[in-house]
Amino acid sequence: MTPAAHQSPHTPELRATARHVGRRRFLTGTAAAAALAFAVNLPAAGTAAAAELDPARLTADPFTLGVASGDPLPGSVLLWTRLAPAPYQADGGLPARRVTVRWEVARDQSFRRPVRRGSTLAHPEFGHSVHVQVDGLDDDRVYYYRFRAGSWISRTGRTRTAPGHGAAPGSLTLGVVSCQRYDQGYFTAYKHLAEDDVDVVLHLGDYLYEYAVSGVGGARAYPAGTVPAVYGHEMVTLDDYRLKYALYKSDPDLLAAHAAHPFVVTWDDHETENNYAGAVSENDDPAEEFLIRRAAAYRAYWENQPLRRPQLPDGPDLRLYRRLHWGRLAQLDVLDTRQYRSDQAYGDGWQFPGPESENPARTLTGAAQERWLIDGWHRSRARWNVVPQQATFARRHNSTGVPSQVSMDSWDGYPASRNRILAGAQAAGIENLMVLTGDVHVHYGFDIKRDFADENSRTVGTEIVTSSVSSGGNGAEKPANWATFMAANPHLRFYNGLRGYATVSLGRDLARADFKTVPYVTRQGAPLTTAASFVTEVGDQGLKPA
């Protein structure tokens, strides 16, 4: 970060207020409420102060950011949109007034068989975003939905509900995506995913990047000035984050994927700042400063994702970890490995492990989330226990030498935390464990060993790591370290460095993982290839070529 970008964008009053409040839960009490008002530009009187906008004043399409759905439950869907007739303006092109938005859900795409309809308010305090929880639907059914504001109608979205808790569905197919950096390539993988036959998409983090985007869109190489100058700096404030979501969500391939499938989302670091850890910023900014930035980032995340009411942030805190079920076939325990983690050992990066990284007190999940995960496993009756999360779980040595360096930003930098998780799975009797991961911009397929120090140790699960959508540019089928990684990690079954996504199909007897790639992202139109397919069987964990 340049020195100019590192200077605080916040007012002296805000910084003075923030210094007087706590490090972790600094937004409590009267002074903290004032700090949040400064941080995220909320009107002091709250939502009741905003008058309603005359629908006739909506003279341009307000649905430029599309529609989305998320977190499917039995008989219930969550629908999202955000009004922004001028998406590249800080206010989205709308005055500070609330807007009535009508919604409808139907069994068919032409809406001739409607089942639910209603209206809600898009408040300026929440960036004119809309989160509608629709209950009373049938279990395990596809539905179509759309929104209206004034005379404008949104595009149609397709979503679905989950099977009932006691149901025994025969299959669940997941699309798995991560890491979409706008200025490093096109989101072509989403074009293909929109056309793929999946039930739910899991987004495992780095939905956007905080970095500046040039007027040519970086590697997209648009004509000069195509991307407005407002994107020419790193995002720090609430307006910055809202604007960056608008840029990303205007991408036609991402719009199509959201409209085609319900998403289950979790974040990694770049939705806030690269490699932050809890209240510790990448650049070791004062905690009160960084938590203000985190409050802005978390608020913008909630505003721009199809999340339910329990995920509404409270200042710099947002409980993103949560549990979903697909009947008795699968339990999905969605983790947050950023908000509660200990700071990375040895200054981060690839380092030799030692007493600092191996300290038993270190945690990647925080104690409360760790207990929640393991307690949930003890209660699980699912055939498959799936853990969508961010950082590579399996051990990765970067050389065949002894000792070898490992990544301090992944679970290798928190081995005691990983050991507690694996011991908890064993104590709970979890037999079919699958960890789904993003972050590293490559496809990996790992066997999860009970003891990674012993290659003959029992295989207790599998890890599917999806490559990036565009982050890192075009990539390569065999990165430069391919042979070294394959030799240094005998539990690594597959490694591919092209961009793309993965699909995971869970059945009653086995699960199948398909690693899908595109040959390039720096220009449009790349075809999709299934680079490899593997299966793991119920009661016999370990990846085998399909």
Side-chain angles (χ1 to χ4, degrees):
M1 184 182 292
T2 64
H6 186 60
Q7 292 174 358
S8 172
H10 305 299
T11 65
E13 293 86 354
L14 170 61
R15 287 183 275 116
T17 302
R19 279 194 292 270
H20 291 289
V21 290
R23 177 182 176 91
R24 283 282 177 183
R25 294 283 304 176
F26 83 115
L27 293 173
T28 58
T30 304
L36 181 58
F38 278 116
V40 298
N41 301 317
L42 295 182
T47 57
E52 188 160 356
L53 182 71
D54 179 355
R57 293 187 60 185
L58 289 174
T59 57
D61 181 8
F63 296 111
T64 58
L65 305 183
V67 301
S69 67
D71 283 16
L73 301 178
S76 177
V77 297
L78 190 286
L79 309 180
W80 173 94
T81 193
R82 179 181 156 209
L83 307 183
Y88 305 148
Q89 294 180 17
D91 60 5
L94 290 172
R97 292 173 177 264
R98 46 200 172 105
V99 181
T100 296
V101 179
R102 291 168 288 160
W103 55 269
E104 51 189 328
V105 176
R107 296 185 185 276
D108 64 311
Q109 203 164 0
S110 62
F111 290 85
R112 291 174 180 165
R113 295 193 293 158
V115 293
R116 291 286 185 277
R117 59 167 54 96
S119 66
T120 189
L121 291 173
H123 290 286
E125 293 87 346
F126 292 96
H128 288 105
S129 62
V130 168
H131 298 72
V132 177
Q133 180 172 308
V134 184
D135 298 321
L137 303 173
D138 293 338
D139 297 345
D140 199 15
R141 179 184 276 284
V142 170
Y143 289 98
Y144 298 87
Y145 64 96
R146 63 188 178 187
F147 298 92
R148 298 173 184 262
S151 61
W152 298 92
I153 303 175
S154 73
R155 71 190 298 164
T156 295
R158 177 184 177 275
T159 190
R160 64 170 304 133
T161 55
H165 292 298
S171 65
L172 166 62
T173 300
L174 303 167
V176 188
V177 295
S178 180
C179 301
Q180 53 205 49
R181 184 164 169 176
Y182 187 92
D183 58 321
Q184 291 189 334
Y186 287 94
F187 295 169
T188 311
Y190 276 125
K191 178 181 183 296
H192 296 291
L193 180 58
E195 300 165 354
D196 212 334
D197 185 17
V198 302
D199 297 304
V200 178
V201 173
L202 302 178
H203 197 294
L204 303 181
D206 294 344
Y207 190 95
L208 49 65
Y209 283 69
E210 74 272 32
Y211 306 128
V213 177
S214 69
V216 300
R220 295 189 177 210
Y222 297 144
T226 298
V227 176
V230 70
Y231 294 106
H233 66 273
E234 181 169 333
M235 58 190 189
V236 176
T237 68
L238 179 58
D239 281 348
D240 291 340
Y241 287 104
R242 284 173 171 169
L243 281 163
K244 189 61 70 69
Y245 280 105
L247 178 66
Y248 276 60
K249 284 181 170 291
S250 65
D251 181 273
D253 294 330
L254 181 55
L255 284 168
H258 271 301
H261 310 296
F263 273 53
V264 172
V265 300
T266 188
W267 55 37
D268 197 14
D269 51 342
H270 288 288
E271 289 89 349
T272 301
E273 182 196 46
N274 178 55
N275 279 17
Y276 80 93
V280 181
S281 78
E282 178 183 23
N283 297 299
D284 292 323
D285 299 314
E288 65 271 14
E289 286 280 352
F290 178 67
L291 287 173
I292 291 164
R293 179 178 182 176
R294 202 177 87 175
Y298 284 12
R299 186 179 189 88
Y301 186 82
W302 186 82
E303 289 175 352
N304 286 279
Q305 298 291 7
L307 290 166
R308 292 176 179 267
R309 186 76 182 182
Q311 278 65 61
L312 181 67
D314 177 13
D317 304 311
L318 187 161
R319 179 169 165 169
L320 195 57
Y321 64 88
R322 61 207 189 278
R323 180 169 292 123
L324 301 169
H325 297 89
W326 204 258
R328 298 190 67 169
L329 180 64
Q331 176 172 300
L332 279 67
D333 292 303
V334 184
L335 299 189
D336 171 2
T337 63
R338 277 291 156 193
Q339 187 175 179
Y340 314 105
R341 66 161 65 193
S342 308
D343 195 12
Q344 292 93 339
Y346 299 114
D348 207 354
W350 287 82
Q351 308 288 349
F352 292 106
E356 184 181 347
S357 63
E358 294 176 351
N359 184 338
R362 288 175 53 74
T363 178
L364 198 64
T365 62
Q369 185 177 193
E370 182 180 295
R371 288 193 302 270
W372 167 86
L373 175 62
I374 294 171
D375 288 348
W377 280 340
H378 278 280
R379 295 191 297 271
S380 175
R381 297 297 179 266
R383 180 66 59 95
W384 294 95
N385 285 275
V386 182
V387 183
Q389 55 94 54
Q390 299 79 7
T392 304
F393 186 83
R395 190 201 64 196
R396 281 182 303 158
H397 284 162
N398 71 352
S399 77
T400 55
V402 180
S404 172
Q405 292 179 322
V406 296
S407 170
M408 292 296 148
D409 194 51
S410 73
W411 289 82
D412 278 332
Y414 305 78
S417 194
R418 178 171 59 198
N419 288 340
R420 289 192 299 269
I421 295 297
L422 289 175
Q426 182 176 6
I430 298 302
E431 294 185 350
N432 303 303
L433 174 64
M434 180 172 286
V435 177
L436 303 179
T437 302
D439 182 50
V440 289
H441 309 170
V442 298
H443 284 315
Y444 287 134
F446 287 106
D447 290 346
I448 296 175
K449 310 298 285 187
R450 182 62 186 89
D451 179 3
F452 284 106
D454 178 6
E455 64 181 74
N456 296 315
S457 175
R458 180 173 173 241
T459 297
V460 296
T462 55
E463 181 179 14
I464 303 301
V465 181
T466 184
S467 188
S468 65
V469 170
S470 64
S471 301
N474 291 329
E477 182 177 357
K478 287 189 175 181
N481 61 6
W482 184 89
T484 299
F485 268 46
M486 295 299 292
N489 301 287
H491 53 285
L492 175 59
R493 304 303 185 196
F494 179 69
Y495 178 15
N496 182 294
L498 291 174
R499 308 298 159 235
Y501 65 96
T503 58
V504 174
S505 299
L506 305 175
R508 294 175 183 171
D509 299 319
L510 57 81
R512 176 186 175 110
D514 294 298
F515 294 99
K516 303 191 177 187
T517 60
V518 292
Y520 50 84
V521 295
T522 52
R523 63 185 192 276
Q524 293 175 291
L528 186 73
T529 298
T530 300
S533 300
F534 292 85
V535 297
T536 181
E537 299 176 19
V538 168
D540 184 16
Q541 292 296 283
L543 292 173
K544 310 172 186 66

